[in-house]
């Protein structure tokens, strides 16, 4: 299955086009594509446009390890629920640190929602085919939190789509979604960025521009 797909990508856009091809069976079914900001927004736009779906965001934030904020030991979702990776306890990370960091990240989530809503009201995922998009997944904490949050909102089908992740993370994510669509599962795996030639930071201005361009469309009438 993976032999025709590269394990290194020019940029997020190139990976998104490959993912959109893999997701072609959802074209014409009005899927809701939910990107994890900020990096996945350019990918989500390509996938939503290709599948003739709607684009929105799912707001979750990783909880980084002490002294290494890029290494996720957990995540917090928009409802304030905290999800921790088993690695956190193995590393002896204090529960108070996790609560404090989760509170800081929740403030970022609230600020982003306040910024995004006036230009792009949130779309209800209930009853929709929902495709959650991330550029790549390392520990799976952030994407896992997004999938758990969305499952409680009762989508008709929940799919996770991403360019690259290590095999053990894929195994951990599999029970959380109805389907996983990904391009590469390399081993060894050190960081998502190593699999992209261009892994530039996606700025807030780009996110806001994408959201302005993709205002929600009218829901199709039920037969």
């Amino acid at each position: 299955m993976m032999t025709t797909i590269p394990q290194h990508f020019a940029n997020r856009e190139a990976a998104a086009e490959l993912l959109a091809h893999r997701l072609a069976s959802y074209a014409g079914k009005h899927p809701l594509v939910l990107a994890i900001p900020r990096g996945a927004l350019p990918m989500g736009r390509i996938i939503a446009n290709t599948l003739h779906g709607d684009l929105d965001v799912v707001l979750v934030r990783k909880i980084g390890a002490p002294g290494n904020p890029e290494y996720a030991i957990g995540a917090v979702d928009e409802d304030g629920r905290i999800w921790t990776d088993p690695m956190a306890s193995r590393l002896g990370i204090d529960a108070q640190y996790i609560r404090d960091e989760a509170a800081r990240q929740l403030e970022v989530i609230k600020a982003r929602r306040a910024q995004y809503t006036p230009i792009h009201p949130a779309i209800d995922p209930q009853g929709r085919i929902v495709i959650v998009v991330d550029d790549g997944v390392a520990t799976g904490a952030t994407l896992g939190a997004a999938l758990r949050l969305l499952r409680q909102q009762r989508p008709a089908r929940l799919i996770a789509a991403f360019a690259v992740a290590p095999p053990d993370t894929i195994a951990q994510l599999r029970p959380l979604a109805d389907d996983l669509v990904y391009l590469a599962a390399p081993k060894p795996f050190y960081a998502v960025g190593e699999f992209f030639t261009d892994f530039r930071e996606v700025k807030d201005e780009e996110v806001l521009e994408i959201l302005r361009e993709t205002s929600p469309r009218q829901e199709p009438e039920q037969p």
Side-chain angles (χ1 to χ4, degrees):
M1 171 178 157
M2 307 301 297
T3 55
T4 60
I5 298 293
Q7 292 199 358
H8 193 277
F9 310 99
N11 49 37
R12 290 182 178 91
E13 290 77 8
E17 290 174 0
L18 292 170
L19 281 171
H21 179 72
R22 285 283 179 91
L23 292 160
S25 62
Y26 297 107
K29 297 182 180 179
H30 197 230
L32 173 58
V33 178
L34 296 179
I36 297 178
R38 294 174 296 193
L41 255 294
M43 297 178 66
R45 173 171 56 181
I46 290 170
I47 292 170
N49 286 344
T50 302
L51 302 182
H52 307 289
D54 291 325
L55 177 66
D56 199 1
V57 296
V58 54
L59 295 179
V60 290
R61 293 281 293 177
K62 68 183 173 187
I63 300 170
N68 187 6
E70 292 305 311
Y71 183 79
I73 56 166
V76 60
D77 67 25
E78 193 167 4
D79 291 339
R81 283 184 292 264
I82 300 170
W83 313 94
T84 55
D85 190 279
M87 183 59 69
S89 60
R90 292 199 290 270
L91 293 174
I93 296 172
D94 183 68
Q96 188 60 51
Y97 167 84
I98 293 174
R99 288 192 293 269
D100 291 345
E101 184 61 22
R104 283 191 287 271
Q105 298 303 330
L106 186 57
E107 289 304 310
V108 175
I109 289 174
K110 290 178 178 177
R112 285 187 173 176
R113 182 59 74 190
Q115 188 179 30
Y116 298 164
T117 297
I119 61 174
H120 190 107
I123 303 174
D124 186 357
Q126 183 175 345
R128 301 286 298 271
I129 294 172
V130 173
I131 303 171
V132 185
V133 177
D134 205 355
D135 44 22
V137 187
T139 68
T142 304
L143 180 56
L147 294 170
R148 291 183 179 98
L149 172 66
L150 289 162
R151 182 65 79 187
Q152 296 182 358
Q153 298 177 17
R154 295 180 292 173
R157 186 166 176 80
L158 183 60
I159 301 103
F162 47 90
V164 61
D168 55 346
T169 295
I170 290 171
Q172 293 169 17
L173 291 171
R174 198 170 295 282
L176 303 179
D178 298 311
D179 193 14
L180 298 182
V181 178
Y182 56 93
L183 303 176
K187 194 174 181 178
F189 185 106
Y190 300 107
V192 172
E194 69 177 316
F195 300 101
F196 292 82
T197 301
D198 174 10
F199 199 63
R200 62 183 173 79
E201 180 183 5
V202 177
K203 302 290 189 180
D204 282 330
E205 294 78 9
E206 184 175 354
V207 169
L208 295 175
E209 182 60 29
I210 291 171
L211 292 177
R212 287 189 188 99
E213 292 174 356
T214 56
S215 58
R217 295 198 295 272
Q218 184 69 35
E219 293 285 345
E221 294 184 5
Q222 297 299 319

